[in-house]
Amino acid sequence: MTDKKPICQLTRKWPSRVEKAMGDKCELLINDEDKSLHREALAAALCSSDILCPTVTDSISAEVFALAEERGVRTKLLANFGVGFNHIDIEHASRLGIAVTNTPGVLTDATAEISMALLLMCARRTGEGERLVRSGAWDGWRPTHMLSTQVTGKTLGIIGMGRIGLAMAKKAHHGFGMQIIYSSRSALEGSLAEGISAIRCELSELLQKSDFVSLHCPSTPETKHLIDREALTTMGSHAFLINTARGEVIDEAALASALREGEIAGAGLDVYQNEPSINTALLNLENLVLLPHMGSGTNETREAMGMCAFDNIKAYLNGAELPNRVV
Ligand code: DGY
């Protein structure tokens, strides 16, 4: 009678091992089309499921909550598949008594790997090189061909020294002998900083001193367009910008113009302001590497993210404290 399983709606397909494990505990509804749900569908899901599991592509905005409220909200837990939760209006969720959880920790190394890959790609012009070879236009080795920027020993400025920023700092320092400077709300504890001798500084100093600037801060009202025209001008024509955090942190129009005019040397982006649309001004720039938001996209990590979300769900079902509660 009371052993009915709770209804749990996944807005996308999840790794199959995770779906299978969840199916034992919940009545699992899966969006088999695996396309982003529009706001009416999200509002309907808030009214029909006990647990809703969104991803970064689902904007659970005040508007979506308001639509759901008109019909009666059923959801008690939003178990997000991902660490960033800027796509969820968490204050609104909290007002409605809905708990929100995320999946920190498990995607740290995978995301730092993509940051490092972007850094290497734009410094060493590997995207351009690959395009050249595939086009059939490569006419052979010569001493002055496709010269690029050496990475080893350069200065990396990290904006946002959380888990992913620190993992990036370690890979860059231990793997490539890079000097690390950072700006962050809080200072690294001594023992963490010592391994990489990271020096904390103000944003303007970081922008001036860095050969590479890598963004690892969350998207908040304070970080919106943190990298604007002025910041790009401060970086200078030798410097590269890497973003695996959130698109909103960069003013994309200003970035396109700075890349076009050679005001900075290059950039590598994995995230964009209006995904999956890309500002067309960015598309044809040779000194820009573009990836499709794949920072956490390894088999190991996506499965771990799903299992982490499932741990939050199991805790909720057992009436226990939620391990990764955001609100
Ligand atoms: C994250 O976990 O925040 C990734 O960007 C995917 O959403």
Side-chain angles (χ1 to χ4, degrees):
M1 211 172 63
T2 52
D3 61 356
K4 266 187 88 177
K5 288 180 180 173
I7 297 177
C8 178
Q9 167 84 57
L10 307 189
T11 64
R12 308 300 286 251
K13 287 187 183 172
W14 285 21
S16 50
R17 205 170 76 88
V18 187
E19 288 182 355
K20 195 165 176 307
M22 290 174 86
D24 293 339
K25 294 266 178 214
C26 311
E27 186 185 325
L28 205 57
L29 306 179
I30 302 170
N31 169 15
D32 281 321
E33 277 196 17
D34 208 11
K35 299 226 168 84
S36 296
L37 295 183
H38 51 74
R39 60 194 180 121
E40 279 80 13
L42 288 170
L46 283 170
C47 301
S48 59
S49 55
D50 300 297
I51 300 161
L52 177 59
C53 301
T55 72
V56 66
T57 61
D58 304 305
S59 170
I60 309 197
S61 58
E63 204 185 353
V64 167
F65 279 121
L67 268 177
E69 277 178 270
E70 284 170 16
R71 300 170 209 167
V73 174
R74 173 170 176 161
T75 297
K76 286 282 170 235
L77 172 65
L78 281 170
N80 186 53
F81 185 102
V83 66
F85 50 84
N86 56 302
H87 52 289
I88 302 172
D89 184 336
I90 56 166
E91 276 85 28
H92 207 126
S94 171
R95 275 203 300 283
L96 294 176
I98 303 173
V100 180
T101 57
N102 69 344
T103 63
V106 291
L107 45 77
T108 304
D109 279 312
T111 308
E113 281 176 9
I114 283 288
S115 312
M116 203 63 225
L118 280 171
L119 187 154
L120 290 166
M121 282 181 81
C122 58
R124 300 304 313 272
R125 302 176 63 185
T126 58
E128 278 177 79
E130 210 219 16
R131 286 192 289 279
L132 179 71
V133 174
R134 285 185 190 277
S135 74
W138 180 40
D139 56 4
W141 192 92
R142 60 196 142 90
T144 57
H145 183 230
M146 280 206 79
L147 302 187
S148 59
T149 301
Q150 185 149 315
V151 169
T152 301
K154 296 283 169 63
T155 298
L156 170 63
I158 301 230
I159 299 181
M161 193 56 111
R163 291 184 185 87
I164 301 172
L166 181 59
M168 170 70 166
K170 286 182 175 164
K171 291 181 199 316
H173 179 74
H174 296 303
F176 295 89
M178 297 183 86
Q179 319 297 317
I180 309 297
I181 58 178
Y182 71 100
S183 80
S184 203
R185 272 180 307 196
S186 38
L188 278 178
E189 282 170 31
S191 56
L192 289 175
E194 261 167 40
I196 48 173
S197 317
I199 296 170
R200 188 172 175 214
C201 59
E202 292 300 323
L203 178 65
S204 55
E205 187 183 346
L206 178 143
L207 294 170
Q208 272 166 35
K209 290 189 171 163
S210 299
D211 300 301
F212 297 87
V213 173
S214 190
L215 303 177
H216 300 282
C217 51
S219 170
T220 63
E222 293 75 43
T223 61
K224 179 153 194 208
H225 289 187
L226 186 71
I227 303 299
D228 57 8
R229 176 153 198 80
E230 193 186 334
L232 291 160
T233 309
T234 309
M235 284 173 64
S237 59
H238 69 290
F240 294 84
L241 177 67
I242 310 301
N243 190 11
T244 55
R246 283 292 182 263
E248 290 81 355
V249 182
I250 297 179
D251 176 343
E252 290 176 347
L255 175 63
S257 153
L259 289 167
R260 208 173 36 243
E261 304 304 325
E263 286 164 10
I264 67 168
L269 306 179
D270 186 45
V271 288
Y272 308 89
Q273 182 145 3
N274 296 307
E275 297 177 11
S277 314
I278 310 281
N279 182 331
T280 51
L282 297 173
L283 288 176
N284 295 319
L285 295 162
E286 281 291 349
N287 53 352
L288 174 62
V289 179
L290 301 168
L291 296 181
H293 200 150
M294 57 196 278
S296 62
T298 64
N299 286 312
E300 297 89 335
T301 296
R302 289 285 162 84
E303 199 167 289
M305 288 165 76
M307 286 303 184
C308 181
F310 186 37
D311 286 343
N312 288 313
I313 292 169
K314 283 187 288 189
Y316 165 75
L317 295 177
N318 292 333
E321 201 170 311
L322 305 181
N324 308 114
R325 186 172 186 142
V326 174
V327 288

